Coordinates of all heavy atoms in Angstrom, one line a residue:
M1 N 0.8 -1.2 0.0 CA 0.0 0.0 0.0 C 0.9 1.2 0.0 O 1.9 1.3 0.6 CB -0.9 0.0 1.2 CG -1.8 1.2 1.3 SD -2.8 1.4 2.8 CE -3.6 -0.1 2.9
A2 N 0.4 2.2 -0.7 CA 1.2 3.5 -0.8 C 1.2 4.2 0.6 O 0.2 4.1 1.3 CB 0.6 4.4 -1.8
S3 N 2.3 4.9 0.9 CA 2.4 5.6 2.1 C 1.6 6.9 2.1 O 1.6 7.6 1.1 CB 3.8 5.9 2.4 OG 3.9 6.8 3.5
T4 N 0.9 7.2 3.1 CA 0.1 8.4 3.2 C 0.8 9.3 4.3 O 0.2 10.3 4.7 CB -1.4 8.2 3.6 OG1 -1.4 7.4 4.8 CG2 -2.1 7.4 2.5
A5 N 2.0 9.0 4.7 CA 2.7 9.7 5.7 C 3.0 11.2 5.3 O 3.1 12.1 6.1 CB 4.0 9.0 6.1
T6 N 3.1 11.4 4.0 CA 3.4 12.7 3.5 C 2.1 13.6 3.4 O 2.2 14.8 3.1 CB 4.0 12.7 2.1 OG1 3.1 12.0 1.2 CG2 5.3 12.0 2.1
L7 N 0.9 13.1 3.7 CA -0.3 13.9 3.6 C -0.5 14.7 4.8 O -0.2 14.2 5.9 CB -1.5 12.9 3.4 CG -1.5 12.0 2.2 CD1 -2.8 11.2 2.1 CD2 -1.4 12.8 0.9
N8 N -1.0 15.9 4.7 CA -1.4 16.7 5.9 C -2.6 16.0 6.5 O -3.2 15.2 5.9 CB -1.5 18.2 5.6 CG -2.7 18.5 4.7 OD1 -3.8 17.9 4.8 ND2 -2.6 19.4 3.7
S9 N -3.0 16.5 7.7 CA -4.1 15.9 8.4 C -5.4 15.9 7.7 O -6.2 15.0 7.7 CB -4.2 16.5 9.8 OG -4.6 17.8 9.7
I10 N -5.7 17.0 7.0 CA -6.9 17.2 6.2 C -6.9 16.2 5.0 O -7.9 15.5 4.8 CB -7.1 18.6 5.7 CG1 -7.3 19.5 6.9 CG2 -8.3 18.7 4.7 CD1 -7.4 21.0 6.6
E11 N -5.8 16.1 4.3 CA -5.7 15.2 3.2 C -5.8 13.7 3.7 O -6.5 12.9 3.0 CB -4.4 15.4 2.4 CG -4.3 16.7 1.7 CD -2.9 16.9 1.1 OE1 -1.9 16.4 1.8 OE2 -2.8 17.6 0.1
A12 N -5.2 13.4 4.8 CA -5.2 12.1 5.3 C -6.7 11.7 5.7 O -7.1 10.6 5.5 CB -4.3 12.0 6.5
Q13 N -7.4 12.6 6.3 CA -8.8 12.4 6.7 C -9.6 12.1 5.4 O -10.5 11.2 5.4 CB -9.4 13.5 7.5 CG -10.8 13.2 8.0 CD -10.9 11.9 8.8 OE1 -10.1 11.7 9.7 NE2 -11.8 11.0 8.5
K14 N -9.4 12.9 4.4 CA -10.2 12.8 3.1 C -9.8 11.4 2.5 O -10.7 10.7 2.0 CB -9.8 13.9 2.1 CG -10.5 15.2 2.5 CD -10.1 16.3 1.5 CE -10.7 17.6 1.9 NZ -10.4 18.7 0.9
F15 N -8.6 11.0 2.6 CA -8.2 9.7 2.0 C -8.8 8.6 2.8 O -9.3 7.6 2.2 CB -6.6 9.6 2.1 CG -6.1 8.3 1.5 CD1 -6.2 8.2 0.1 CD2 -5.6 7.3 2.2 CE1 -5.7 7.0 -0.5 CE2 -5.1 6.1 1.7 CZ -5.2 6.0 0.3
E16 N -8.9 8.7 4.1 CA -9.6 7.7 4.9 C -11.1 7.6 4.6 O -11.7 6.6 4.6 CB -9.3 7.9 6.4 CG -7.9 7.6 6.8 CD -7.5 6.2 6.4 OE1 -8.2 5.2 6.6 OE2 -6.4 6.0 5.9
N17 N -11.7 8.8 4.4 CA -13.1 8.8 4.0 C -13.3 8.1 2.7 O -14.3 7.4 2.5 CB -13.6 10.3 3.9 CG -13.7 11.0 5.3 OD1 -13.6 10.3 6.3 ND2 -13.8 12.3 5.3
L18 N -12.4 8.4 1.7 CA -12.5 7.7 0.4 C -12.3 6.2 0.6 O -13.1 5.4 0.0 CB -11.4 8.2 -0.5 CG -11.3 7.6 -1.9 CD1 -12.6 7.9 -2.7 CD2 -10.1 8.0 -2.6
R19 N -11.4 5.8 1.4 CA -11.1 4.4 1.6 C -12.4 3.7 2.2 O -12.8 2.6 1.8 CB -10.0 4.2 2.6 CG -9.6 2.7 2.8 CD -8.6 2.5 4.0 NE -7.5 3.4 4.0 CZ -6.3 3.1 3.4 NH1 -6.1 2.0 2.8 NH2 -5.3 4.0 3.5
S20 N -13.0 4.4 3.2 CA -14.2 3.9 3.8 C -15.4 3.8 2.8 O -16.1 2.8 2.8 CB -14.6 4.8 4.9 OG -15.8 4.4 5.5
A21 N -15.5 4.8 1.9 CA -16.6 4.8 0.9 C -16.4 3.7 -0.1 O -17.3 3.0 -0.4 CB -16.7 6.2 0.2
V22 N -15.2 3.5 -0.5 CA -14.9 2.5 -1.5 C -15.1 1.1 -1.0 O -15.6 0.2 -1.7 CB -13.4 2.6 -2.1 CG1 -13.0 1.4 -2.9 CG2 -13.3 3.9 -2.9
S23 N -14.8 0.9 0.3 CA -15.0 -0.4 0.9 C -16.5 -0.9 0.9 O -16.8 -2.1 0.9 CB -14.5 -0.4 2.4 OG -15.3 0.3 3.2
G24 N -17.4 0.1 0.8 CA -18.8 -0.2 0.7 C -19.3 -0.6 -0.7 O -20.5 -0.9 -0.8
F25 N -18.5 -0.4 -1.7 CA -18.9 -0.7 -3.1 C -19.0 -2.2 -3.3 O -18.0 -2.9 -3.2 CB -18.0 -0.1 -4.1 CG -17.9 1.4 -4.1 CD1 -16.9 2.0 -4.8 CD2 -18.9 2.2 -3.5 CE1 -16.9 3.4 -4.9 CE2 -18.9 3.5 -3.6 CZ -17.8 4.2 -4.3
N26 N -20.2 -2.7 -3.5 CA -20.3 -4.2 -3.7 C -20.3 -4.6 -5.1 O -20.2 -5.8 -5.4 CB -21.7 -4.6 -3.1 CG -21.7 -4.4 -1.6 OD1 -20.7 -4.5 -0.9 ND2 -22.8 -4.0 -1.1
H27 N -20.2 -3.7 -6.1 CA -20.2 -4.0 -7.5 C -18.8 -4.2 -8.1 O -18.7 -4.5 -9.3 CB -21.0 -3.0 -8.3 CG -20.5 -1.6 -8.2 ND1 -20.8 -0.8 -7.1 CD2 -19.8 -0.9 -9.0 CE1 -20.2 0.3 -7.3 NE2 -19.6 0.3 -8.4
I28 N -17.8 -4.0 -7.3 CA -16.4 -4.2 -7.7 C -15.7 -5.1 -6.7 O -16.1 -5.2 -5.6 CB -15.6 -2.9 -7.9 CG1 -15.5 -2.1 -6.6 CG2 -16.2 -2.0 -9.0 CD1 -14.7 -0.9 -6.7
S29 N -14.7 -5.8 -7.2 CA -14.0 -6.8 -6.4 C -13.1 -6.1 -5.4 O -12.7 -5.0 -5.5 CB -13.1 -7.7 -7.3 OG -12.0 -7.0 -7.8
A30 N -12.7 -6.9 -4.4 CA -11.8 -6.5 -3.4 C -10.4 -6.0 -4.0 O -9.8 -5.0 -3.5 CB -11.5 -7.5 -2.3
N31 N -10.0 -6.7 -5.0 CA -8.7 -6.4 -5.7 C -8.9 -5.0 -6.4 O -7.9 -4.2 -6.3 CB -8.3 -7.4 -6.7 CG -7.7 -8.6 -6.1 OD1 -7.3 -8.6 -4.9 ND2 -7.7 -9.7 -6.8
E32 N -10.0 -4.8 -7.0 CA -10.2 -3.5 -7.7 C -10.3 -2.4 -6.7 O -9.7 -1.3 -6.9 CB -11.5 -3.5 -8.5 CG -11.4 -4.4 -9.7 CD -12.8 -4.6 -10.4 OE1 -13.8 -4.9 -9.7 OE2 -12.8 -4.5 -11.6
K33 N -10.9 -2.6 -5.6 CA -10.9 -1.6 -4.5 C -9.5 -1.3 -4.0 O -9.2 -0.1 -3.9 CB -11.8 -2.1 -3.3 CG -13.3 -2.2 -3.6 CD -14.0 -2.8 -2.4 CE -15.3 -3.3 -2.8 NZ -16.0 -3.9 -1.7
S34 N -8.8 -2.3 -3.7 CA -7.4 -2.2 -3.2 C -6.5 -1.4 -4.2 O -5.8 -0.5 -3.9 CB -6.8 -3.5 -2.9 OG -5.5 -3.4 -2.5
D35 N -6.6 -1.8 -5.5 CA -5.8 -1.2 -6.5 C -6.2 0.3 -6.6 O -5.3 1.1 -6.8 CB -6.0 -1.9 -7.9 CG -5.4 -3.3 -7.9 OD1 -4.6 -3.6 -7.0 OD2 -5.7 -4.0 -8.9
F36 N -7.4 0.6 -6.6 CA -7.9 2.0 -6.7 C -7.3 2.8 -5.5 O -6.7 3.9 -5.7 CB -9.4 2.1 -6.8 CG -9.9 3.5 -6.7 CD1 -9.8 4.3 -7.8 CD2 -10.5 4.0 -5.6 CE1 -10.3 5.6 -7.8 CE2 -10.9 5.3 -5.5 CZ -10.8 6.1 -6.6
I37 N -7.5 2.3 -4.3 CA -7.0 3.0 -3.1 C -5.5 3.2 -3.2 O -4.9 4.3 -2.9 CB -7.4 2.3 -1.9 CG1 -8.9 2.4 -1.7 CG2 -6.7 2.8 -0.6 CD1 -9.4 3.9 -1.5
N38 N -4.8 2.2 -3.6 CA -3.3 2.3 -3.8 C -2.9 3.3 -4.8 O -2.0 4.1 -4.5 CB -2.7 0.9 -4.1 CG -2.7 0.0 -3.0 OD1 -2.7 0.4 -1.8 ND2 -2.7 -1.3 -3.3
L39 N -3.6 3.4 -5.9 CA -3.3 4.4 -6.9 C -3.5 5.8 -6.4 O -2.7 6.7 -6.6 CB -4.1 4.1 -8.2 CG -3.6 2.9 -9.1 CD1 -4.6 2.7 -10.2 CD2 -2.2 3.2 -9.6
V40 N -4.7 6.0 -5.8 CA -5.0 7.3 -5.2 C -3.9 7.7 -4.2 O -3.4 8.8 -4.1 CB -6.4 7.4 -4.6 CG1 -6.6 8.7 -3.9 CG2 -7.4 7.2 -5.7
G41 N -3.6 6.7 -3.3 CA -2.6 7.0 -2.3 C -1.2 7.4 -2.9 O -0.6 8.3 -2.4
R42 N -0.8 6.7 -3.9 CA 0.4 7.0 -4.6 C 0.4 8.4 -5.2 O 1.3 9.1 -5.1 CB 0.7 6.0 -5.7 CG 1.2 4.6 -5.1 CD 1.5 3.6 -6.2 NE 2.4 4.2 -7.2 CZ 2.4 3.8 -8.5 NH1 1.6 2.9 -8.9 NH2 3.3 4.3 -9.4
Y43 N -0.7 8.7 -5.8 CA -0.9 10.0 -6.4 C -0.8 11.1 -5.4 O -0.1 12.1 -5.5 CB -2.2 10.1 -7.2 CG -2.6 11.5 -7.7 CD1 -1.9 12.0 -8.8 CD2 -3.5 12.3 -7.0 CE1 -2.2 13.3 -9.2 CE2 -3.8 13.6 -7.4 CZ -3.1 14.1 -8.6 OH -3.4 15.3 -9.0
L44 N -1.6 11.0 -4.3 CA -1.6 12.0 -3.3 C -0.3 12.2 -2.6 O 0.1 13.3 -2.2 CB -2.7 11.7 -2.2 CG -4.1 11.8 -2.8 CD1 -5.1 11.3 -1.7 CD2 -4.5 13.2 -3.2
S45 N 0.5 11.1 -2.4 CA 1.7 11.2 -1.7 C 2.9 11.6 -2.6 O 4.0 11.8 -2.1 CB 2.0 9.8 -1.0 OG 2.3 8.8 -2.0
G46 N 2.7 11.7 -3.9 CA 3.7 12.1 -4.8 C 4.6 10.9 -5.2 O 5.6 11.1 -5.9
E47 N 4.2 9.7 -4.9 CA 5.0 8.5 -5.3 C 4.7 8.1 -6.7 O 5.5 7.4 -7.3 CB 4.6 7.3 -4.4 CG 5.1 7.5 -3.0 CD 4.6 6.3 -2.1 OE1 4.5 5.2 -2.7 OE2 4.5 6.5 -0.9
A48 N 3.6 8.6 -7.3 CA 3.3 8.2 -8.7 C 4.3 8.8 -9.6 O 4.7 9.9 -9.5 CB 1.9 8.6 -9.0
E49 N 4.6 8.0 -10.7 CA 5.4 8.5 -11.7 C 4.7 9.5 -12.6 O 3.5 9.4 -12.8 CB 6.0 7.4 -12.6 CG 6.9 6.4 -11.9 CD 7.4 5.3 -12.8 OE1 7.4 5.5 -14.0 OE2 7.7 4.3 -12.2
Q50 N 5.4 10.5 -13.1 CA 4.7 11.4 -14.0 C 4.5 10.8 -15.4 O 5.3 10.0 -15.9 CB 5.6 12.7 -14.2 CG 5.8 13.4 -12.9 CD 4.4 14.0 -12.4 OE1 3.7 14.5 -13.2 NE2 4.2 13.9 -11.1
V51 N 3.4 11.1 -16.1 CA 3.1 10.6 -17.4 C 3.8 11.5 -18.4 O 3.6 12.8 -18.4 CB 1.6 10.5 -17.6 CG1 1.3 10.1 -19.1 CG2 1.0 9.6 -16.6
D52 N 4.5 11.0 -19.4 CA 5.1 11.8 -20.4 C 4.0 11.8 -21.6 O 4.0 10.8 -22.4 CB 6.4 11.1 -20.9 CG 7.0 12.0 -22.0 OD1 6.5 13.0 -22.5 OD2 8.2 11.6 -22.4
W53 N 3.2 12.8 -21.6 CA 2.1 12.8 -22.5 C 2.5 12.9 -24.0 O 1.7 12.5 -24.9 CB 1.1 14.0 -22.2 CG 0.4 13.8 -20.9 CD1 0.7 14.3 -19.7 CD2 -0.7 12.9 -20.7 NE1 -0.2 13.8 -18.7 CE2 -1.0 12.9 -19.3 CE3 -1.4 12.0 -21.5 CZ2 -2.0 12.2 -18.8 CZ3 -2.4 11.3 -20.9 CH2 -2.7 11.4 -19.6
S54 N 3.7 13.3 -24.2 CA 4.2 13.3 -25.6 C 4.4 11.9 -26.2 O 4.4 11.7 -27.4 CB 5.5 14.1 -25.7 OG 6.6 13.3 -25.0
K55 N 4.4 10.9 -25.3 CA 4.6 9.5 -25.8 C 3.2 8.8 -26.0 O 3.1 7.7 -26.5 CB 5.4 8.7 -24.8 CG 6.8 9.1 -24.7 CD 7.6 8.3 -23.7 CE 9.0 8.7 -23.6 NZ 9.8 7.9 -22.7
I56 N 2.1 9.5 -25.6 CA 0.8 8.9 -25.7 C 0.3 9.2 -27.2 O 0.3 10.3 -27.7 CB -0.2 9.6 -24.7 CG1 0.3 9.5 -23.3 CG2 -1.6 9.0 -24.9 CD1 0.5 8.0 -22.8
K57 N -0.1 8.1 -27.8 CA -0.5 8.2 -29.2 C -2.0 8.0 -29.3 O -2.6 7.2 -28.6 CB 0.2 7.1 -30.0 CG 1.7 7.1 -29.9 CD 2.3 7.7 -31.2 CE 3.8 7.5 -31.2 NZ 4.6 8.5 -30.5
T58 N -2.6 8.7 -30.3 CA -4.0 8.6 -30.5 C -4.3 7.3 -31.2 O -3.6 6.9 -32.2 CB -4.6 9.7 -31.3 OG1 -4.2 10.9 -30.6 CG2 -6.0 9.6 -31.6
R59 N -5.3 6.5 -30.8 CA -5.6 5.3 -31.5 C -6.2 5.6 -32.9 O -6.9 6.5 -33.1 CB -6.7 4.5 -30.7 CG -6.2 4.0 -29.3 CD -5.2 3.0 -29.5 NE -4.7 2.4 -28.3 CZ -3.9 1.4 -28.1 NH1 -3.4 0.8 -29.2 NH2 -3.6 1.0 -26.9
T60 N -5.9 4.7 -33.8 CA -6.4 4.9 -35.2 C -7.7 4.1 -35.3 O -8.1 3.3 -34.5 CB -5.3 4.4 -36.2 OG1 -5.1 3.0 -35.9 CG2 -4.0 5.1 -36.1
D61 N -8.4 4.4 -36.4 CA -9.7 3.8 -36.7 C -9.6 2.3 -36.9 O -10.6 1.6 -36.9 CB -10.4 4.4 -37.9 CG -11.0 5.8 -37.5 OD1 -11.1 6.0 -36.3 OD2 -11.4 6.5 -38.4
D62 N -8.4 1.8 -37.3 CA -8.3 0.3 -37.4 C -8.2 -0.4 -36.1 O -8.4 -1.6 -36.0 CB -7.1 -0.1 -38.3 CG -5.7 0.4 -37.7 OD1 -5.7 1.5 -37.1 OD2 -4.7 -0.3 -37.8
I63 N -8.0 0.4 -35.0 CA -8.0 -0.2 -33.7 C -9.3 0.1 -32.9 O -9.9 -0.8 -32.3 CB -6.8 0.3 -32.8 CG1 -5.5 -0.2 -33.5 CG2 -6.9 -0.1 -31.4 CD1 -4.3 0.4 -32.8
V64 N -9.7 1.4 -33.0 CA -11.0 1.8 -32.4 C -12.0 2.0 -33.5 O -11.9 2.9 -34.4 CB -10.8 3.1 -31.6 CG1 -12.1 3.6 -31.0 CG2 -9.7 3.0 -30.6
V65 N -13.0 1.1 -33.5 CA -14.0 1.2 -34.6 C -15.1 2.2 -34.2 O -15.6 2.2 -33.1 CB -14.7 -0.2 -34.7 CG1 -15.8 -0.2 -35.8 CG2 -13.7 -1.3 -35.0
P66 N -15.3 3.2 -35.1 CA -16.3 4.2 -34.8 C -17.7 3.6 -34.5 O -18.1 2.6 -35.1 CB -16.4 5.0 -36.1 CG -15.1 4.8 -36.8 CD -14.7 3.4 -36.4
Y67 N -18.4 4.1 -33.6 CA -19.7 3.6 -33.2 C -20.6 3.4 -34.4 O -21.3 2.4 -34.5 CB -20.3 4.5 -32.1 CG -21.7 4.1 -31.7 CD1 -21.8 3.0 -30.7 CD2 -22.9 4.6 -32.1 CE1 -23.0 2.6 -30.3 CE2 -24.1 4.2 -31.7 CZ -24.1 3.1 -30.8 OH -25.3 2.7 -30.3
D68 N -20.7 4.4 -35.3 CA -21.6 4.3 -36.4 C -21.3 3.2 -37.4 O -22.1 2.8 -38.2 CB -21.5 5.7 -37.2 CG -22.1 6.8 -36.5 OD1 -22.8 6.6 -35.5 OD2 -21.7 8.0 -36.8
A69 N -20.1 2.6 -37.3 CA -19.7 1.5 -38.1 C -20.2 0.1 -37.6 O -20.1 -0.9 -38.2 CB -18.2 1.4 -38.3
L70 N -20.7 0.1 -36.4 CA -21.2 -1.1 -35.7 C -22.6 -1.4 -36.1 O -23.4 -0.5 -36.2 CB -21.1 -1.0 -34.2 CG -19.7 -0.8 -33.7 CD1 -19.7 -0.6 -32.1 CD2 -18.7 -1.9 -34.0
S71 N -22.9 -2.7 -36.3 CA -24.3 -3.1 -36.5 C -24.9 -3.6 -35.3 O -24.2 -3.8 -34.3 CB -24.4 -4.1 -37.6 OG -23.8 -5.3 -37.2
L72 N -26.2 -3.9 -35.3 CA -26.9 -4.5 -34.1 C -26.4 -5.9 -34.0 O -26.1 -6.6 -35.0 CB -28.4 -4.4 -34.3 CG -28.9 -2.9 -34.3 CD1 -30.4 -3.0 -34.5 CD2 -28.7 -2.2 -33.0
F73 N -26.6 -6.5 -32.8 CA -26.3 -7.9 -32.6 C -27.3 -8.7 -33.4 O -28.5 -8.4 -33.4 CB -26.3 -8.2 -31.1 CG -25.1 -7.8 -30.4 CD1 -25.1 -6.6 -29.7 CD2 -24.0 -8.6 -30.3 CE1 -24.0 -6.2 -29.0 CE2 -22.9 -8.2 -29.6 CZ -22.9 -7.0 -29.0
S74 N -26.8 -9.7 -34.0 CA -27.6 -10.6 -34.8 C -27.3 -12.1 -34.5 O -26.1 -12.5 -34.8 CB -27.5 -10.4 -36.3 OG -28.2 -11.3 -37.0
E75 N -28.1 -12.8 -33.8 CA -27.9 -14.2 -33.5 C -26.6 -14.3 -32.7 O -25.8 -15.2 -32.9 CB -27.9 -15.1 -34.7 CG -29.2 -15.1 -35.4 CD -29.2 -16.0 -36.7 OE1 -28.4 -16.9 -36.7 OE2 -30.0 -15.7 -37.6
G76 N -26.4 -13.4 -31.7 CA -25.2 -13.6 -30.9 C -23.9 -13.1 -31.5 O -22.9 -13.3 -30.9
K77 N -24.0 -12.6 -32.7 CA -22.8 -12.2 -33.4 C -22.9 -10.7 -33.7 O -23.9 -10.2 -34.1 CB -22.5 -13.0 -34.7 CG -22.3 -14.5 -34.4 CD -22.1 -15.2 -35.7 CE -21.9 -16.7 -35.4 NZ -21.8 -17.4 -36.7
C78 N -21.7 -10.0 -33.7 CA -21.7 -8.6 -34.0 C -21.0 -8.5 -35.3 O -19.9 -9.1 -35.5 CB -21.0 -7.8 -32.9 SG -20.9 -6.1 -33.3
R79 N -21.6 -7.8 -36.3 CA -20.9 -7.6 -37.6 C -20.6 -6.1 -37.8 O -21.3 -5.3 -37.4 CB -21.8 -8.1 -38.7 CG -22.2 -9.5 -38.7 CD -23.1 -9.9 -39.8 NE -24.5 -9.3 -39.5 CZ -25.1 -8.5 -40.3 NH1 -24.5 -8.1 -41.4 NH2 -26.2 -8.0 -40.1
L80 N -19.6 -5.9 -38.6 CA -19.3 -4.5 -39.0 C -20.0 -4.3 -40.3 O -20.2 -5.1 -41.1 CB -17.8 -4.3 -39.2 CG -16.9 -4.4 -38.0 CD1 -15.4 -4.2 -38.4 CD2 -17.3 -3.4 -37.0
I81 N -20.5 -3.1 -40.4 CA -21.3 -2.7 -41.6 C -20.3 -2.4 -42.8 O -19.3 -1.9 -42.7 CB -22.1 -1.4 -41.4 CG1 -23.2 -1.8 -40.3 CG2 -22.8 -1.0 -42.6 CD1 -24.0 -0.6 -39.9

């Protein structure tokens, strides 16, 4: 788990409130809850690595199919128009 020692008392209380709220979510797994809390803790404590946005590439249409190109489901199969 990420350290929250670097958080001030107000941030630490907000983080604990978030942790408590997330623990009540029944529609996600315990692992998802834990992973989310760890990521938020890393972000708040400054442990998270910075993202180099210049390395992020936009997906092309051969990877992401536009919604309008999708057809309705037919007999359990999805076809492209």
Side-chain angles (χ1 to χ4, degrees):
M1 177 185 312
S3 169
T4 56
T6 59
L7 301 180
N8 67 40
S9 62
I10 294 172
E11 291 171 332
Q13 184 58 50
K14 287 180 179 181
F15 183 72
E16 288 307 313
N17 291 346
L18 177 65
R19 183 191 315 266
S20 177
V22 169
S23 71
F25 294 166
N26 296 324
H27 59 283
I28 60 176
S29 72
N31 284 343
E32 290 171 314
K33 293 175 194 179
S34 176
D35 289 348
F36 174 74
I37 291 298
N38 285 336
L39 286 172
V40 172
R42 285 180 53 208
Y43 171 76
L44 293 175
S45 68
E47 294 177 27
E49 294 181 24
Q50 296 295 318
V51 174
D52 183 356
W53 290 103
S54 67
K55 293 182 179 179
I56 305 299
K57 305 256 189 277
T58 303
R59 295 292 185 174
T60 59
D61 284 345
D62 61 324
I63 296 173
V64 179
V65 179
Y67 180 79
D68 293 340
L70 299 176
S71 68
L72 296 176
F73 283 94
S74 175
E75 298 179 25
K77 297 180 182 177
C78 183
R79 297 178 291 118
L80 295 179
I81 296 176

